Amino acid sequence: MHLLLCKIVSLLFLCISFSDAESQDPLGEFCNKDTNISIEGKVSSNINNLLSELVTKTPSTGFLATTFGKEQDKVYGLAQCRGDVSTQDCSICIQDAAKQIRQQCPNQADARIWYDYCFLRYNNKTFAGQVDTSLGIFYFNVENVTDSETFNNKLGSLMDQIRAEAVVPKDEGLGKEKTKLSPFVTLYALVQCTRDLSEISCAQCLAISVSNFPTFCNNRKGCRVLYSSCYVRYELYPFFFPLDSNNTGASKKTTRAIIYP
């Protein structure tokens, strides 16, 4: 029965035609071992149906928060793509996320998965509108900048600017911009909140994210902070769309830390 269910789940997500766009590995995933369920139970079946809806409906707008099932078997789901990616790339990312999350967390009712282009989560308890910084994934460049004072001043100003953009309703939680550090070096930064958050909650989540910079990303050439409610990233090379042709050749070597509360 287990094998049959896995085959059904695989067919559910693999039967959708893929374009030539390249699939990417997840940046991280979380399977809450305190929410174990039977893979043959009703909750597990509802998760499969929930994921099918997220795969189908998320790409059209880049975001979907929905539910499936009733009463104690009800499950809640959310999927969101990075605000600058195409509908095609969004679709492929959500398909990958839905497939991988069930492979990685087959027996958990609370699971989350992060990709560069998208984020997906589900739970048997409601979470919409709540700031969730209970689990943090941090990527930081292994190299340091040379002029830390100038860099940190420019980074602080840029983060203030795009965080202000993200809480404007029309920007739907997204802020992205670049600034010159020198005639030959450009700093790129992007922040994004999940669209279920209010303006105040989005601002709170981004503030928590940026507050990690001195601990994990101090003077680093690049950094990513990933929470379940928001995402922050900066680099010395272009990474958001439309891509800037000014590639400084900065180091892209990173290391990862996963922090539990």
Side-chain angles (χ1 to χ4, degrees), residues 117-138:
Y117 288 175
C118 68
F119 168 72
L120 185 149
R121 70 179 297 190
Y122 56 78
N123 202 327
N124 59 350
K125 296 180 180 179
T126 183
F127 55 81
Q130 302 172 18
V131 176
D132 187 345
T133 55
S134 60
L135 172 72
I137 300 177
F138 306 92

Side-chain angles (χ1 to χ4, degrees), residues 106-195:
N107 300 305
Q108 284 76 46
D110 175 15
R112 311 157 201 200
I113 192 164
W114 292 261
Y115 282 78
D116 195 16
Y117 288 175
C118 68
F119 168 72
L120 185 149
R121 70 179 297 190
Y122 56 78
N123 202 327
N124 59 350
K125 296 180 180 179
T126 183
F127 55 81
Q130 302 172 18
V131 176
D132 187 345
T133 55
S134 60
L135 172 72
I137 300 177
F138 306 92
Y139 280 83
F140 48 89
N141 197 297
V142 297
E143 295 184 358
N144 289 335
V145 297
T146 53
D147 184 353
S148 60
E149 183 176 357
T150 299
F151 177 81
N152 288 320
N153 287 336
K154 289 279 191 178
L155 176 62
S157 297
L158 186 58
M159 280 294 165
D160 288 345
Q161 177 185 346
I162 61 177
R163 284 162 57 191
E165 291 176 6
V167 299
V168 176
K170 69 178 181 63
D171 290 330
E172 298 183 322
L174 176 70
K176 62 186 179 77
E177 194 52 79
K178 60 185 179 180
T179 187
K180 285 282 188 182
L181 298 180
S182 74
F184 307 103
V185 180
T186 302
L187 175 64
Y188 303 81
L190 180 147
V191 301
Q192 184 167 15
C193 296
T194 54
R195 292 192 214 168

